[in-house]
Structures are given as C-alpha cells and as structure tokens.
C-alpha cells in the first residue's frame, strides 16, 4: 500500500469536510464537525499520518468528537474499494460478508421445548442479495413454539429487510419506523408487509431478542422496533447506539467517508436509540443471554402449550435444570 502524499491528504480531508457540511443529517453539527476537521488540517495533525489506516483513525476520532455519532467515519478498508463515488465500498463489503455467513444466517437450530434459535449476522443484508436464504430460515422457524433471535453480532442492516423480517413476526401490517432524510427534506415510513412468502411465525408466540454492545445500526433497529411494539423481550447488554443511516463515498482506494444523512423516528417512542443504545428488558452478560432467553422460552412454552409434545419436553427440561441446580447447591455444602 502506497504512502499518502501531503496534497492527497489535504484533498481527502477537504472533500470530507464538504460532504459533512452538505449532507450530515444535523446541519449545525455538520458545520461544527467540518470546523474541527479544518482546524486539524491547518495545524498539520493529519499530515503526520503516512498511510490510509492511520489517517482514517485520526480523522474518525475528530469526526466523532462533537456528538459521538458512530456512523460518521473515514473508514479504512484493507481491500481496495470500488472507485464508484457513492456506496461502492459498502456494496463490495456486503458481498464478501454474505459469502462468509451463508447469506447472513450463520446459525439456525431447534432447542429443547420446540424453541428455535435464529442468528442474524454480521449484517441484515438487502433482500435482493440474500432474500432466498432469509426466507428459507424464516419459513423453517415458523413452526417453532418460541423463537430466540440472536443479534449479538449483528452490526448493521437494511430497513426494507428489517420490515420484511417483521412481516413474519406480526400478524398484521405494523408501522415500524420512519426515516427523515435531510437532502430530500422528507419522511419515509416502513411497515411490516401484509403478505410474506411461506408461513409466519406470527404475532403471538413468545419471541426473545439477544443483543450486546456490538449490536449496531440495523441490528439495533430490528431489536428496537420489536421492543417498542411490545412484540419481543430484549435480553443482553446495552447496544452500540447508532440510529442515523449513512451513505458511503469513496475518497481513496482504501478510504470511505460514511456520512449519516437521515435519522430514525420510532412511531411509539417518537425517538430512537442514537447515543443511548437499545436498553434490554432483561440485562445480563451477553454470554449468558442465550441461556436466559431459552429458560424464559421454556417456561412460556410449558405454560401455554398444554399437553403438546413440545410443552411436555419443555417441562422435562425445566425440571432437569431445577434438579441440576439443587445438586450443584448440595455439592457446595
């Protein structure tokens, strides 16, 4: 990788300042951030960076110094990114991530008691990229008595795909989110669809969502949308806190400017999770969130399932866990 020249650094930071001023969703903050970049540039702070990775780290720290927006970055890519001005880098990154994660469905499993576990990571991909894999997974878990949706490693996602997933988790069309776009000065609503391919898990069976501090952006939106509508119990730790959707601009073969140009408005809370993260209903170490959710799901299946095979299995599992705890307690005496 070639070293950056002084004129090249000036050009990159100047263009980033222009994009931030013109597009950042909060105009006044965008101007303040551009001022921070301009001061640092004139003081020679960035010219001490000899390579793109170091420049990206220095500039990102300054971009986020005003309001801590985790989507606002000069992002370094170890692989060369497409020269297309807008969103070329993220599309290439998504394609690689989809290939390495079975289309964003790295794990699907039946647990004791008829409980299904569906892990979405690292991204909730656009439907035109991985829709077949997602629909197959959602169809498979539709028969479960309860569902655990694992978003602990989900760092982003597409709002249309989020709405599509929610279509399988609600019985009726439901208003999930509204995006305000600064450039268009307009709002766009996102609803769960009335029709989905295949059977639905539905809007009444127990649903648990696992999150961690790594959960970010589109992963947070899915958790937040379900929580605010009272559809799911969220378990884990406070998530990363990125609610402002971004656009990407290639400024160098290894550097992408990511600029939030919109903000989320939840129809229930009237706000979003920017800066605060999604607050879990049950806070626990994310490493234990799976166990906590499964036990809660077993209890619900046992309570609601009557004499079904899954309910009987859930009761046996709960009795076994109670007996195991009793034995462990006796061993400590």
């Amino acid at each position: 990788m070639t070293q950056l020249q002084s004129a090249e650094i000036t050009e990159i930071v100047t263009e980033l300042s222009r994009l931030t001023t013109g597009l950042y969703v909060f105009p006044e903050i965008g101007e303040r951030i551009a001022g921070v970049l301009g001061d640092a540039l004139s003081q020679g702070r960035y010219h001490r960076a000899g390579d793109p990775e170091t420049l990206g780290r220095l500039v990102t720290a300054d971009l986020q110094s005003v309001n801590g927006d985790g989507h606002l970055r000069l992002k370094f890519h170890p692989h060369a990114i497409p020269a297309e001005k807008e969103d070329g880098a993220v599309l290439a990154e998504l394609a690689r991530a989809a290939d390495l994660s079975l289309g964003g469905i790295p794990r699907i499993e039946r647990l004791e008691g008829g409980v299904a576990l569906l892990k979405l990571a690292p991204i909730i991909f656009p439907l035109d990229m991985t829709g077949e894999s997602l629909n197959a997974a959602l169809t498979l878990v539709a028969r479960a008595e309860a569902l655990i949706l694992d978003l602990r490693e989900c760092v982003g996602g597409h709002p249309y795909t989020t709405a599509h997933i929610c279509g399988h988790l609600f019985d009726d069309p439901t208003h999930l989110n509204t995006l305000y776009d600064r450039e268009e000065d307009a709002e766009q609503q996102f609803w769960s669809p009335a029709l989905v391919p295949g059977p639905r898990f539905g809007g009444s069976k127990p649903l648990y969502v696992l999150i961690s501090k790594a959960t970010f952006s589109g992963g947070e939106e899915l958790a937040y949308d379900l929580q605010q509508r009272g559809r799911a119990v969220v378990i884990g730790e406070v998530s990363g806190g990125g609610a402002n959707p971004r656009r990407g601009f290639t400024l160098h073969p290894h550097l992408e400017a990511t600029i939030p140009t919109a903000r989320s408005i939840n129809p229930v809370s009237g706000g979003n999770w920017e800066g605060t993260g999604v607050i879990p209903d049950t806070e626990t170490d994310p490493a234990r969130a799976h166990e906590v959710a499964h036990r809660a799901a077993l209890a619900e299946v046992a309570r609601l399932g009557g004499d079904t095979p899954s309910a009987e299995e859930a009761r046996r599992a709960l009795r076994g866990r109670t007996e195991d705890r009793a034995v462990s307690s006796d061993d400590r005496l």
Side-chain angles (χ1 to χ4, degrees):
M1 189 180 301
T2 59
Q3 295 293 94
L4 292 170
Q5 301 301 309
S6 179
E8 195 174 16
I9 291 172
T10 297
E11 182 180 355
I12 290 169
V13 177
T14 300
E15 176 63 6
L16 177 57
S17 295
R18 186 190 70 80
L19 290 169
T20 303
T21 301
L23 295 176
Y24 188 58
V25 61
F26 304 111
E28 292 183 1
I29 295 176
E31 290 181 4
R32 288 173 56 194
I33 292 170
V36 171
L37 297 181
D39 290 344
L41 184 64
S42 64
Q43 293 165 10
R45 167 173 161 81
Y46 305 135
H47 291 93
R48 294 193 291 271
D51 60 88
E53 185 173 9
T54 302
L55 179 64
R57 185 171 62 251
L58 289 173
V59 173
T60 296
D62 289 342
L63 285 169
Q64 297 179 2
S65 65
V66 174
N67 68 336
D69 191 330
H71 278 109
L72 187 60
R73 296 171 291 176
L74 182 60
K75 183 177 180 179
F76 169 74
H77 292 266
H79 303 285
I81 58 180
E84 287 87 350
K85 186 68 175 177
E86 186 170 347
D87 286 337
V90 70
L91 291 174
E93 187 176 11
L94 287 176
R96 284 194 298 272
D99 286 343
L100 293 171
S101 63
L102 296 176
I105 315 290
R107 184 181 178 190
I108 184 169
E109 181 180 355
R110 183 194 184 275
L111 307 176
E112 284 183 301
V115 181
L117 172 69
L118 176 59
K119 180 175 181 177
L120 302 180
I123 298 286
I124 298 172
F125 292 99
L127 282 174
D128 60 0
M129 185 175 290
T130 62
E132 289 184 1
S133 297
L134 180 62
N135 287 331
L138 291 169
T139 296
L140 191 59
V141 302
R143 297 182 61 178
E145 301 295 333
L147 176 61
I148 299 172
L149 195 58
D150 187 352
L151 304 178
R152 288 174 293 180
E153 298 175 16
C154 187
V155 299
H158 197 282
Y160 285 109
T161 311
T162 296
H164 179 79
I165 293 169
C166 288
H168 287 262
L169 306 176
F170 289 93
D171 294 323
D172 301 305
T174 302
H175 184 192
L176 304 168
N177 190 25
T178 297
L179 289 182
Y180 168 76
D181 185 276
R182 171 190 168 178
E183 193 171 22
E184 299 293 332
D185 190 24
E187 293 183 350
Q188 180 181 9
Q189 293 186 354
F190 290 85
W191 289 65
S192 63
L195 300 174
V196 296
R200 299 176 193 262
F201 177 77
S204 59
K205 290 187 287 187
L207 175 63
Y208 304 87
V209 177
L210 313 184
I211 62 172
S212 73
K213 64 182 179 183
T215 310
F216 194 66
S217 190
E220 292 179 286
E221 188 206 332
L222 179 53
Y224 192 82
D225 291 350
L226 293 169
Q227 182 188 57
Q228 291 300 311
R229 283 296 182 186
R231 178 62 190 94
V233 177
V234 178
I235 298 173
E237 66 181 348
V238 178
S239 61
N244 300 328
R246 56 81 143 189
R247 290 160 59 187
F249 302 87
T250 299
L251 301 187
H252 176 274
H254 292 277
L255 290 170
E256 176 196 17
T258 70
I259 311 293
T261 60
R263 61 184 174 90
S264 297
I265 306 169
N266 183 270
V268 177
S269 70
N272 57 47
W273 60 97
E274 176 65 30
T276 64
V278 180
I279 311 301
D281 300 300
T282 301
E283 191 161 359
T284 187
D285 184 334
R288 292 193 61 248
H290 172 281
E291 175 189 346
V292 172
H294 190 202
R295 183 171 182 83
L298 287 172
E300 280 297 284
V301 172
R303 183 177 69 86
L304 298 171
D307 59 357
T308 66
S310 290
E312 292 174 1
E313 185 183 38
R315 294 185 190 104
R316 286 197 301 272
L318 288 169
R319 285 196 298 270
R321 293 180 181 204
T322 300
E323 291 167 0
D324 287 344
R325 284 202 304 275
V327 170
S328 297
S329 178
D330 289 343
D331 289 345
R332 290 193 297 268
L333 295 177

